[in-house]
Amino acid sequence: MALFLINRYLGDEGDDGSSNESRAKALLAKLQRKAKVKEQQSLSCQEEYQSKTTVESDGGTSVKKKRKNKGGNLDETKHPKKRKEQVNQDVSPPDPEELSEGDNARKKKDTKKMQLTEEEKDGMKQTSVHNKNRNLQEAAAAAVKAELLKNDDEMVEKIQTDQSIQDTETSSSQTGFTILGGFEKKIIQKVQRVLPKWLAEPDVIQRDITSNLVPISDVPGICTKLQRKLERNGIYHLFPVQVEVIPAILESVSHGLLIGRGGYKPRDICVSAPTGSGKTLAFVIPVIQALMERVVCEVRVLAVLPTKELAQQVCKVFSSYAEGNSLKVVMLAGQKSFAAEQASLSENRGGISHSLADIVVATPGRLVDHINKNDGFSLEHLRFLIIDEADRMIDSMHQSWLSLVTKAVYRPRRVSEAVTIFKRTEPAPITAASLSPPQMPLQKLLFSATLTQNPEKLQQLGLHQPRLFSSVHSQSTTNPRSQERFNFPQGLTEYYVPCTLSKKPLLILHFILRLKFSPILCFTNSREAVHRLYLLVQLFGGVQAAEFSSRLSPNERKRTLKEFEQGKIQLLISTDAAARGIDINGVKCVVNYDAPQFIRTYIHRVGRTARAGKSGLAFTFLLGIQENQFLKMVKDAGSPGIHKQIVMPGNLKSMEPHYQQTLLELGNTIKGEKAKKRV
Ligand SMILES: Nc1ncnc2c1ncn2[C@@H]1O[C@H](COP(=O)(O)OP(=O)(O)OP(=O)(O)O)[C@@H](O)[C@H]1O
């Protein structure tokens, strides 16, 4: 489209207005001649086409070939309409109107073209000499170009474009304005997420545990001492995640703690494997083996976990495998007083602080307290930083625990140790100078069942040439419409139970008392809801129930978990405090009394059952309003399928009178509790 009027120099005669006019007339005559020739050509084409389509209606496949060869452009994807016509012709007698559709199109094109020249004619009469010249030149050029365009479609397109130019120019000449355009709606392709290579091409971990067990002795690198230890703990085969990750970590310490393979800093390791797949042993075994030969006791391993219970659980596993190796494991999770934890970390001998811990298992809050306030706590020798439940730990990064750990690791050495050859500096580009003398590398090991694939989030961890082990192949995450996808334990069967708010308590009672699902781990969305349901079940009677939330002291929580594991509790009603990482043996059934809002929460909650290759059931109570969104969320996350489980109202009826009575009692109990609190 013309934004500016361009006066072209047309030679000496071009200056003369009358010669311009005659030139324009000559061009017009030429155009008309060409249009006539075109019209004749099109008529002959029409005849030829009609004769061919008659043949087509007789024969099948040979015609297809003919048409393909003729145009060379009968591509199914490019010309679906033509293909459709052909299919129709193959299966049913041809409709005369359908047969001549192509000809009609051609006719239309030609008519359009004729109209175009007519409009040109009118326009030329009305506009100034300059405009006439310009229109004629452009129309002439268009006609010549159209002649050159052999492909019919191209020609139609071209003529349409020219027509639109002509329309614009005609209207612009009528209004005296040049109309801007060129803002046609275009389909813009969605931007596909492109993952960095290490995330897009992980080392694959087999999802099916039971059919991929590997005898301990077949896994390279595990020392005999630890093999015996594993056997004593009843472990004779390793799970797929352990088979992949243990050798990888051991390889990074195969030349000692100081240098990685080839003298380089070892790569950080990220592991994303389903709940209950044995991730804990995947880091405990190689780390213990790496430290077994250590001479001086220093904090060389720091494992950070989001909750006290998890820290306790991991500390127990570390202690079990450190036993007999003179390695000391210390927990910093607020179970003991700060002073007691301080005393367990270091002692002062001859004015020098000596570490009493090789492995520290901590929650972020308590860890930060010790870094800031405890002079005896040194991370200068830290070799492994283990971040379990890594996605959750990234979310709690606002506590800036990681930057404090990094600072503590690269803190300048104390004067007494200044002469040591193993100085430590912050990671920087590797040069010959930076590799000599060697310095203790810090290797990060990340574990989660729902490890984020968001590079921006992972970037906060400052990973060094990370290597990913994953049971979810990244191809499944390239669909931009779907959210992140995760793997569910193989033995898990998922159900949802449509219900109303008032029927939920009856449903959980029905599950325990009638269906005999026990032990059940039941999740609600708040600690108030946990307490209310707990009171209701207690008042209803006949069920051994307990609650688990931040209302309880750490010791009470510990005792409750133990009793639940021992089978003394049939129904444990919990907040998401027990949703992550907690390994309770023998949980057959998980009930989401309140549907979780986030897919990660769902995956971790249902992952409390079907652990270590066993089978388990997960039920989610859904209100009508929640169904669509929840089911979509679960499906998008890669669930193999969630089945509908209907509980007929008749099945609950017999419990209802007693339930109504219990509700009244519950009201009184809650009132009493509130009054007690006020006092
Ligand atoms: N090789 C093995 N043989 C038998 N049992 C094992 C083996 N490895 C781990 N287990 C058991 O499997 C259970 C689950 O292990 P673990 O707690 O490490 O899972 P996880 O992957 O960390 O789960 P989550 O993601 O929920 O934290 C534990 O009870 C553990 O003792």
Side-chain angles (χ1 to χ4, degrees), residues 213 230 234-239 241-242 273-283 310 313 388-389 448-449 579-583 585 604 607-608 611-612 614:
L213 291 170
L230 281 163
I235 292 176
Y236 300 94
H237 295 87
L238 290 188
F239 290 170
V241 67
Q242 296 156 356
T275 48
S277 60
K279 294 184 286 293
T280 313
L281 276 186
F283 61 79
L310 273 181
Q313 191 177 290
D388 201 1
E389 305 297 342
S448 178
R580 266 192 189 253
I582 299 288
D583 183 52
N585 208 1
H604 288 283
R608 296 316 98 207
R611 298 176 69 77
K614 294 185 192 130

Side-chain angles (χ1 to χ4, degrees), residues 610-621:
R611 298 176 69 77
K614 294 185 192 130
S615 59
L617 304 170
F619 294 89
T620 304
F621 294 174

Side-chain angles (χ1 to χ4, degrees), residues 45-178:
C45 272
Q46 191 181 341
E47 279 160 21
E48 194 187 329
Y49 186 77
Q50 262 171 352
S51 65
K52 280 195 176 177
T53 43
T54 321
V55 177
E56 266 180 10
S57 65
D58 298 332
T61 49
S62 63
V63 180
K64 276 185 208 167
K65 271 182 200 165
K66 260 189 208 168
R67 293 188 70 189
K68 226 176 206 172
N69 293 341
K70 187 206 161 199
N73 60 354
L74 198 61
D75 183 332
E76 208 175 298
T77 51
K78 277 187 192 164
H79 300 273
K81 202 174 167 189
K82 283 188 185 172
R83 173 73 192 131
K84 208 172 147 192
E85 274 172 45
Q86 194 180 322
V87 172
N88 287 341
Q89 285 157 10
D90 287 345
V91 293
S92 60
D95 180 325
E97 274 184 33
E98 265 185 278
L99 282 178
S100 58
E101 203 179 304
D103 304 19
N104 287 340
R106 233 176 246 118
K107 264 188 193 168
K108 271 184 202 164
K109 287 169 210 164
D110 289 331
T111 325
K112 257 186 195 172
K113 205 180 144 214
M114 287 307 290
Q115 282 167 354
L116 189 141
T117 50
E118 284 305 314
E119 280 165 18
E120 274 173 10
K121 226 166 146 186
D122 293 345
M124 278 169 66
K125 280 177 193 161
Q126 287 168 14
T127 51
S128 68
V129 174
H130 286 302
N131 275 347
K132 276 182 200 167
N133 283 341
R134 198 171 42 146
N135 287 344
L136 276 169
Q137 282 161 10
E138 282 170 1
V144 173
K145 274 182 195 166
E147 210 174 21
L148 293 170
L149 294 171
K150 289 201 175 92
N151 186 317
D152 281 357
D153 287 347
E154 275 180 44
M155 193 155 87
V156 174
E157 215 174 275
K158 197 67 210 159
I159 288 170
Q160 279 169 349
T161 318
D162 287 354
Q163 173 79 60
S164 72
I165 291 170
Q166 191 67 28
D167 289 348
T168 316
E169 285 183 354
T170 313
S171 57
S172 75
S173 61
Q174 279 164 0
T175 57
F177 292 104
T178 301

Side-chain angles (χ1 to χ4, degrees), residues 205-389:
I205 297 168
Q206 294 302 323
R207 203 176 129 234
D208 185 356
I209 293 178
T210 39
S211 48
N212 289 291
L213 291 170
V214 176
I216 295 170
S217 50
D218 290 0
V219 179
I222 303 179
C223 66
T224 353
K225 202 172 176 185
L226 278 176
Q227 285 186 15
R228 298 288 91 79
K229 187 91 199 167
L230 281 163
E231 283 166 7
R232 275 202 297 280
N233 288 344
I235 292 176
Y236 300 94
H237 295 87
L238 290 188
F239 290 170
V241 67
Q242 296 156 356
V243 174
E244 295 293 331
V245 177
I246 292 174
I249 300 176
L250 285 177
E251 191 192 36
S252 68
V253 284
S254 54
H255 300 288
L257 289 178
L258 268 183
I259 41 172
R261 203 167 69 162
Y264 292 104
K265 189 174 182 280
R267 295 175 69 178
D268 291 335
I269 286 176
C270 301
V271 180
S272 178
T275 48
S277 60
K279 294 184 286 293
T280 313
L281 276 186
F283 61 79
V284 167
I285 297 295
V287 155
I288 294 276
Q289 184 163 326
L291 261 58
M292 264 162 46
E293 303 300 318
R294 71 104 175 93
V295 180
V296 182
C297 177
E298 295 285 2
V299 178
R300 292 197 169 85
V301 178
L302 171 64
V304 191
L305 297 112
T307 62
K308 280 188 182 95
E309 286 71 29
L310 273 181
Q312 236 168 350
Q313 191 177 290
V314 169
C315 188
K316 206 171 148 192
V317 182
F318 263 124
S319 303
S320 150
Y321 288 91
E323 206 185 1
N325 292 310
S326 76
L327 294 174
K328 289 168 192 134
V329 186
V330 169
M331 189 173 76
L332 307 176
Q335 294 285 101
K336 293 189 213 161
S337 69
F338 185 81
E341 286 178 352
Q342 204 171 13
S344 63
L345 275 175
S346 62
E347 65 177 2
N348 201 312
R349 272 184 271 131
I352 297 171
S353 174
H354 293 273
S355 176
L356 296 175
D358 294 282
I359 297 163
V360 170
V361 182
T363 52
R366 205 54 164 203
L367 175 67
V368 167
D369 282 352
H370 280 278
I371 291 174
N372 289 335
K373 299 177 199 160
N374 182 356
D375 286 340
F377 181 52
S378 165
L379 292 175
E380 290 159 19
H381 298 267
L382 194 69
R383 173 64 177 75
F384 293 105
L385 173 60
I386 299 161
I387 308 177
D388 201 1
E389 305 297 342

